[in-house]
Amino acid sequence: MVVGAQWGDEGKGKIVDLLAQEADVVCRYQGGPNAGHTIIFGGETHKIRQIPTGILSGKVAVLGAGCVVDPEVVVAELDAYGERGTFCLSGNAHLIMPWHVAIDQASERRLGKLQIGTTRRGIGPAYADKASRLGIRVQDLLDPKILRQKIEVALAEKNLWLERVYETEPFDLETVAGQYEGYAQRLRPYVADTSLYVDTALREGKRVLFEGAQATLLDLDHGTYPFVTSSNPVAASAATGVGIGPRRIDHVVGVSKAYVTRVGEGPFPSEIAGSEQERMRELGGEYGTVTGRERRCGWLDLVALRYAVRVNGIDQLALTKLDVLSHFAELPVCVRYRTRDGSETHDFPAHQSDFHAAEPVYELLEGWNEPLDTCSSVAELPDAARSYVEFVERELEVEVTLVGTGAERSSVLTRA
Ligand code: IMP
Ligand code: MG
């Protein structure tokens, strides 16, 4: 399985796409269209938000029970890519409804300076309704009568909230019911028992790849709460999100940039100060896939990455966008945090206030000037770049098995 080891946008899409070439089935287990996976091959760029990227390579793409699904986005992606592969959608996944999007937007507006900086796609409100047992699920699309009834019950409450609490427009039952019945007609053929499907595929010896969305530090339980998403991106969640046992997962590949980015609010110890941050943003093209927002940029943070290795059980690391670091004279790497009491630690702080106050302790590594696009393996990297990779491996005690040196599928170096 492939999991984001930072705050998202590590280039998981690209690594999943590469590994998908060897897989039969590619599954998503959490999140919704807040993800934005960019895949570049054969000179074409594809941005995909909801359907697992394996569909682009002709694989079986499974959206598991742990996902929240915006049917409008799925229908658009099926129109664009459906012919390329096979799509299966869990009947237990929850639907994102128009009021979820409206509430996400209104509550962020209301929070003002305290906002989370969500993607405003309705993710949080959809998961909140799931936990409150008020959600509408994909399987409710199978019966038009049930669907209309559930929308009616939900709207009776949601419209009160929208009008009286958030002071925005209510939704009209007939309009929403008509719109969702339209999606239902498109999606019914794809609804399946995805737990059974994946179990059967594994029993038949097929190769199954799990595609994490968002990332470790955005995990609802293990991330930098409250500046997190509303699902569990961590590796163990693949088992619950798809409905298989935890011992079926053989390998956990963590994906990390060679530096760090974060969109949205929240503490970020190794964030770069001043114009160097802009330089990094320009070099790395660090603007959000879903929202177009500027991503905040920082130096590689090995304290946070060590934490990601722990909570996911990462046994191999893919280090992406190493090429972006070419032409910096020196590369600070955060190796420890200095805490409020003046001591230093290798371990990620367990409490929010300690993380807020954490100061990065850097080790300065040597930069390199050579471009990396002529290298065809890790062994061929310029000395300083190879040392950078080896430093990460030593500090984390995890092998870096893949190194990204450019946007194309082909620009990923393996060890040999
Ligand atoms: P939400 O997932 O839209 O509720 O947003 C919650 C937080 O997660 C915000 O900081 C978002 O910017 C962040 N987030 C959600 N999805 C992604 C992603 O795919 N990449 C990076 N950040 C994300
Ligand atoms: Mg993204």
Side-chain angles (χ1 to χ4, degrees), residues 94 188 196 212 214 340:
H94 279 246
R188 271 175 204 135
L196 179 62
Q214 293 80 51
R340 282 186 290 184

Side-chain angles (χ1 to χ4, degrees), residues 112-174:
K113 276 175 75 175
L114 295 177
Q115 69 173 331
I116 296 162
T118 73
T119 59
R120 304 192 176 204
R121 302 284 158 170
I123 308 299
Y127 276 113
D129 276 355
K130 166 179 169 174
S132 305
R133 277 98 10 118
L134 295 170
I136 302 180
R137 296 193 292 174
V138 166
Q139 59 186 278
D140 298 323
L141 296 172
L142 296 174
D143 181 330
K145 267 229 280 302
I146 291 178
L147 178 63
R148 191 180 184 287
Q149 206 177 38
K150 294 211 170 182
I151 293 174
E152 189 172 10
V153 171
L155 271 183
E157 190 199 307
K158 296 300 174 190
N159 277 344
L160 283 178
W161 278 92
L162 286 168
E163 288 184 293
R164 304 223 185 134
V165 177
Y166 295 112
E167 295 167 324
T168 105
E169 293 300 303
F171 287 96
D172 171 58
L173 170 61
E174 296 315 322

